[in-house]
Amino acid sequence: MSTTLPPAITERLEFGATTLVAASLGRVPIAGVALLEADELRLLEVRGMPRGQDELLSLCRQTVEADELVVIAQPRRSLGRAIHLFAGVPIRGDDLLPIGVLFVASREVRHLDNVVLEALLALGGQLERELGAERATRAREVRGRVVSKVWGASDLAEVLQLCLDEVCAHAGWPFGHACVPAGDGTGDLVSAKLWHGADDDRFGRLREILAETRVSAGTGLSGEAAAALGPKWMDDLGLDGLGAGSGFAFPVHSEDGVVAVLEFFAPDVRRPGQCVLDLATELGREAGLAVARMSDRAELARCQATLRETLHRLRTLIGTAHDAFIALDGDGRVTEWNAAAERMFGWPRADIMGRTLANTIVPQRFRADHVAGIARLEATGEGSVLGRRIELAALHRDGQEFPIELYVWQPEPTGPYRFNAFVRDISERKEAERALRDAFAREQEVVEELRGLDRVKTEFVANVSHELRTPLTSISGYLELLVDGTAGDLTEDQREMTSIIQRNTRRLLRLVEDILTVGKIDSGQFQPSVEPTDLGSLVEAVVESVEPAAARKAITLVRQVTPDPIMVRADPDQLDRALLNVLSNAVKFTQAVGTVVIRVRRIGDEARITVADTGIGIPQDELPKLFSRFFRSSLAIEHEIQGTGLGLAIVKHIVDRHGGNISVASRAGEGTMVTIVLPVDPEAGSEAGSEADSAQP
């Protein structure tokens, strides 16, 4: 059993884009769409195979019958076959029965993987939605056309014949018949002798039988539809010899009851789609109302009463509206003025009616423009304020001006000019806007003041740090002289004390340098001076700098540096500082007898430096904060490891300024790995030492 599409629907659809997408998805030359029309499967669009389409049509029929995705692959040696790959996606109607096929094919054996098949299924679903949308559009057009005509029809026969013809044409059912109540109080239905397709020889005997049949209430196809006040269908009537393999019916009814029942038949086994049933329900109701009103003059009176009530409600609504409502005639004289307008402008309704608006609520300086605007509208039909919300100044009766929002429209597009307008007093809104602007201006002043304070703070910190660095440098120099024995040999106790002083002096110097660097970053003065730099040599020098600290903790330093030069465009001093900071952190946060591995390699156009340690690690939830200024890990605080929290923030700034990026991977208690990626110097060429990014450092 299947449904069918009338040609009126498929004629307005283009399938070229769909078949092109299908062929591209399957990477095959042949694609197309076949749909059921008037009980026959037809190829409506085929690309890539202009001749020999019978085999395609046969494969499409198999897909419709299977009602599921069909994929057929036949080797070339298959006798009598031109198609050796076929994939068909069933296209279903709104009753979920197949109405056609979207297919791709090839003269060669090819394989379609699941991704392609899923894409074809999705494309078939899109085609189903397009067909559904077209069916819905067609149904709306039919409904609109029928409704407009039945309300102008002169009698019941004209209404029923119109519905028969339109439904048969839209739904593709070849034969239709109308029956009406017998009029004897039994509720039986008899033929109205109205038909569609009466000249079709297939339905001659069926017409004779229906013309003489009296259907009892609630029995048979039409009787059940009348009793249910809704559409009914039978998939298999079993009357193939009469040309009635299947049928459906719907009642034409109003509040007073059933006016008629329209029934439709087809020689094959089918069912009407949901779209057709919905259309039938709407047409039955609308046609029934139209018929009822033909003979019921009281309905007209009720409509007039309803109209009067609506007008009364509208006047009440306008009269009690919060916004002022004003109506003007073509000369600009007031013809309507509600209570809100009285309150807003100070003019009582009795005093303002008939007055010219320009001489009452329009300020003197705008009156000439107001009169000119009305004249221009009358001359050209164009108005600058019609259909737009505009802000103007209005005049109160006491002479005070105030801001308003105005919306003007014409209640009638033709005939003499009349204008309606809603007016809103926006004095409070304007006052709020002014207050907001003032607040914003004050906020900007505060922002500028804070920026000034920040600049003062930055300059103060920089000056203080500079002043601290000078004596610290002097202290550090004299300590070097003491340690070297320039002032005489030192005892062991003295050497231990000077060692502590040296260590803390260097710590203070690093802190001062970090603070100065942060100040330069904030002021935009911290810029790299780049030059070709060998990354391997730089890393070797940094490793040598931290070897004494590693040796004191019995930490093993492992170098993995390629012997081939890896050239980058960098500021050697800044990059040295960044690498020294990362490697020093690795040594500082690694417990005694641990390991720190530093690896340098080139991957494509990137240089990658990784520093991995077996230290205390960093909790996962703290990793996003790691490059924030002054942030220190909770584990560092817990283990009483000294630091300011500025180092990694400076490192990130240096790496960013070099066009690179830095990332950290770590787990608490399992160690940390820091990765720095920098672009390779493009003028250095491609060395053979590049390696694939396949192994972890």
Side-chain angles (χ1 to χ4, degrees), residues 5 9-10 12-19 21 33 35 91-92 99 102 122-138 140:
L5 286 173
I9 289 181
T10 56
R12 302 198 304 190
L13 288 176
E14 295 289 338
F15 303 100
T18 301
T19 55
V21 173
V33 174
L35 293 176
I91 307 302
R92 301 179 179 89
I99 58 174
L102 169 68
L123 189 59
Q126 177 63 32
L127 183 55
E128 286 179 358
R129 289 188 287 275
E130 291 177 4
L131 287 169
E134 183 58 28
R135 285 194 299 272
T137 300
R138 174 73 175 173
R140 287 194 296 270

Side-chain angles (χ1 to χ4, degrees), residues 51-109:
R51 296 183 301 276
Q53 298 177 358
D54 291 342
E55 187 178 347
L56 284 176
L57 197 56
S58 174
L59 293 169
C60 288
R61 290 194 187 96
Q62 293 181 41
T63 305
V64 170
E65 292 171 2
D67 192 17
E68 61 183 5
L69 174 66
V70 171
V71 180
I72 298 174
Q74 296 289 349
R76 251 188 199 286
R77 61 177 176 272
S78 300
L79 297 179
R81 287 193 176 275
I83 301 300
H84 297 284
L85 169 67
F86 176 87
V89 177
I91 307 302
R92 301 179 179 89
D94 54 2
D95 56 356
L96 302 182
L97 293 176
I99 58 174
V101 180
L102 169 68
F103 65 88
V104 296
S106 174
R107 299 177 187 273
E108 304 288 338
V109 175

Side-chain angles (χ1 to χ4, degrees), residues 145-280:
R145 185 165 57 249
V146 171
V147 170
S148 65
K149 289 182 178 179
V150 297
W151 284 99
S154 58
D155 56 23
L156 174 62
E158 184 179 352
V159 171
L160 298 182
Q161 189 65 58
L162 175 65
C163 290
L164 281 173
D165 295 340
E166 288 285 352
V167 172
C168 283
H170 172 72
W173 287 61
F175 186 79
H177 170 244
C179 51
V180 295
D184 55 5
T186 62
D188 293 349
L189 297 171
V190 296
S191 175
K193 304 299 190 293
L194 296 172
W195 320 87
H196 176 89
D199 55 350
D200 193 328
D201 294 336
R202 294 178 297 173
F203 306 104
R205 181 57 181 157
L206 179 61
R207 178 182 178 183
E208 294 176 4
I209 294 174
L210 292 175
E212 301 300 326
T213 300
R214 184 183 181 102
V215 179
S216 300
T219 63
L221 185 62
S222 55
E224 289 184 12
L229 288 182
K232 290 290 181 179
W233 72 89
M234 291 186 180
D235 300 330
D236 190 357
L237 290 172
L239 301 175
D240 298 345
L242 300 176
S246 54
F248 83 98
F250 68 89
V252 176
H253 63 95
S254 67
E255 295 177 355
D256 298 327
V258 174
V259 177
V261 175
L262 304 182
E263 48 188 9
F264 305 86
F265 301 95
D268 58 328
V269 176
R270 68 168 73 167
R271 69 168 57 173
Q274 188 59 47
C275 188
V276 172
L277 295 176
D278 292 342
L279 176 63

